Amino acid sequence: MAQPALGPAPAEGPCPTPPDGSIHPVDEKLAPSRLLPAALQHIAAMYAGVVTPPLIIGQAVGLDTAGLTRLIAAGLLIAGCATILQTLGIGGFAGNRLPFVNAASSAGIAPMLAIAETSAPGHQLPAIYGAVLVAGVCCLLVGPFFGRLLRFFPPLVTGVVITLIGVTLMPVPVSWAQGGDKTAADFGAMKYLALAAFTLSVILVIQRFGRGFLKQVALLMGLLIGTLAAIPFGLADFSALRSAPLAALPTPFAFGAPEFQPAAILSLCIVMLVLMTESSAGMLALGEICDRPTDGRTITRGLRTDGIATLVGPVFGGFPTSAFAQNVGVVSLTKVRSRYVVATAGGALLILGVFPVLGAVVSLVPMPVLGGAGIVLFGSIAVSGIRTLSEAGLDDSSNIILVAVALGAGIIPLAAPGFYAGFPSWAQTVLGSGISAGALVAVLLNLFFHHLGTHSRSAVALKSS
């Protein structure tokens, strides 16, 4: 079976310099006048994605403003530490030393919401964090051998999963656009829908007519302008700023000691394998963009960083950590390949995490404004999955059937939330998440069609691996 071309193993320690002795663009240390604006672009590209998981999970488990602020601060802190570790590295142990951003991935949101729904009040976050801890251990154990497992996660499988992530999450921004609180008497009121539509319109206008940096931060500008527009109508709550501490380090296990539920663990371990596939693909792509081809040891060090961040994150309130594909796009677009630019962006995220009052600013964004922006954010995830599937050999009838059945299995929990009500609780947790259900079906069908005695089909399934 074909394996990804990983190339020869490099020597341990610092990355090699070009043969002529010049500094490789990846290792270039830019002047502050170039370094800071370039780092700001990376922060702008990833910030909304970093705060999305804590915002969604925090709202789902009913955290108050103070708890939501702590959760956001923890997400920023872990993202900053993981990004610094990834870009600067620790000897030959961890860090791919590429301009690679790491933070909590949106791919884990839907399974974590399913865990929260099947857990008793007060045990939701502990159950999530217990599963995340084990997923981190899984990543550390499997990482060194993951190159051999990539054949089981070709674009055919990852495309299905990424598409389902976007589709499964779409009810979240729709609920936000209606006010966020389904028990409120004015849920779905026209004032909320109008604010969400206004925010979405701002993002579309900036994306259409903006240029350069303004176009890159269209999502953030939409959030800012939408929040400002909400103030005159009394739809923005500033109480979080008054109660948030200026500076504070996250408290270990502030949301309770982790609890270990087998079904929840299985669900997030599956998601972790998908995240590892995305990270590996991101490293391979970034290596090509930076003219520093990614080899096996680089992938191992990069995945080890994912595992460390995912393992340590729950201690302080973080979630599964992986690569941010949008920042790979920033490197490709700007041609700035210095890993120190991304390390600086990681340092800024770390500082934001140490000052909870800055995280509280994010929690000021009204739910309808988040809803308007969320339609763009989660819709773009689904588009990424569709783009991956378009390169996965869908001219083969077996692949069409595989994708059709896997997508159908993933959409069942969305179309019929009570479909698995009669199943055991562990099965409800796994199958009740469209991402987990779709991923399981896609992997099993990929094995059935392309790995069980049918070698001729493998090339089609792995065409773009």
Side-chain angles (χ1 to χ4, degrees), residues 382-442:
V383 170
S384 297
I386 294 171
R387 184 170 60 242
T388 300
L389 286 173
S390 69
E391 303 171 355
L394 290 184
D395 52 340
D396 182 273
S397 60
S398 295
N399 290 346
I400 294 175
I401 294 296
L402 186 158
V403 172
V405 175
L407 286 176
I411 293 175
I412 285 175
L414 188 65
F419 187 83
Y420 298 109
F423 283 56
S425 59
W426 64 267
Q428 291 183 43
T429 301
V430 176
L431 299 176
S433 164
I435 297 172
S436 297
L440 275 174
V441 172

Side-chain angles (χ1 to χ4, degrees), residues 59-86:
Q59 291 283 348
V61 301
L63 290 182
D64 57 14
T65 301
L68 196 59
T69 298
R70 290 200 304 271
L71 209 60
I72 293 172
L76 292 168
L77 180 69
I78 297 299
C81 292
T83 299
I84 292 172
L85 176 59
Q86 192 71 277

Side-chain angles (χ1 to χ4, degrees), residues 42-308:
H42 279 282
I43 295 172
M46 72 179 295
Y47 193 83
V50 173
V51 302
T52 294
L55 272 175
I56 296 176
I57 301 300
Q59 291 283 348
V61 301
L63 290 182
D64 57 14
T65 301
L68 196 59
T69 298
R70 290 200 304 271
L71 209 60
I72 293 172
L76 292 168
L77 180 69
I78 297 299
C81 292
T83 299
I84 292 172
L85 176 59
Q86 192 71 277
T87 52
L88 302 184
I90 298 179
F93 178 71
N96 58 29
R97 295 187 181 86
L98 290 169
F100 204 69
V101 173
N102 281 72
S105 171
S106 297
I109 294 177
M112 287 189 289
L113 289 177
I115 294 170
E117 289 174 1
T118 56
S119 300
H123 296 269
Q124 296 161 313
L125 282 177
I128 290 173
Y129 287 138
V132 175
L133 279 168
V134 178
V137 174
C138 174
C139 182
L140 289 173
L141 293 176
V142 175
F145 314 101
F146 193 68
R148 301 176 186 176
L149 299 178
L150 282 176
R151 59 178 178 157
F152 299 115
F153 292 88
L156 200 62
V157 174
T158 57
V160 168
V161 175
I162 296 170
T163 302
L164 284 174
I165 290 170
V167 173
T168 303
L169 290 175
M170 195 53 67
V172 175
V174 171
S175 175
W176 286 349
Q178 298 175 87
D181 184 3
K182 295 182 179 180
T183 63
D186 60 350
F187 180 74
M190 186 55 65
K191 60 181 179 181
Y192 297 140
L193 300 178
L195 184 56
F198 172 75
T199 302
L200 177 59
S201 299
V202 169
I203 295 172
L204 295 176
V205 168
I206 294 176
Q207 188 67 34
R208 171 63 180 86
F209 298 105
R211 294 291 182 271
F213 180 69
L214 180 62
K215 189 172 183 177
Q216 292 177 4
V217 297
L219 196 67
L220 288 180
M221 291 301 297
L223 291 172
L224 174 61
I225 295 173
T227 301
L228 292 176
I231 295 175
F233 300 97
L235 298 178
D237 182 8
F238 291 91
S239 60
L241 281 179
R242 293 191 294 269
S243 59
L246 178 61
L249 290 174
T251 304
F253 301 117
F255 301 100
E259 299 177 5
F260 302 96
Q261 301 178 4
I265 290 170
L266 175 61
S267 178
L268 283 192
C269 282
I270 291 172
V271 171
M272 197 70 220
L273 290 174
V274 173
L275 294 182
M276 291 169 70
T277 304
E278 291 182 1
S279 275
S280 299
M283 284 183 266
L284 290 168
L286 194 57
E288 292 297 323
I289 293 171
C290 295
D291 194 27
R292 175 172 280 173
T294 303
D295 51 50
R297 291 190 180 182
T298 301
I299 288 180
T300 296
R301 292 197 305 266
L303 293 179
R304 190 171 285 139
T305 302
D306 288 354
I308 292 171

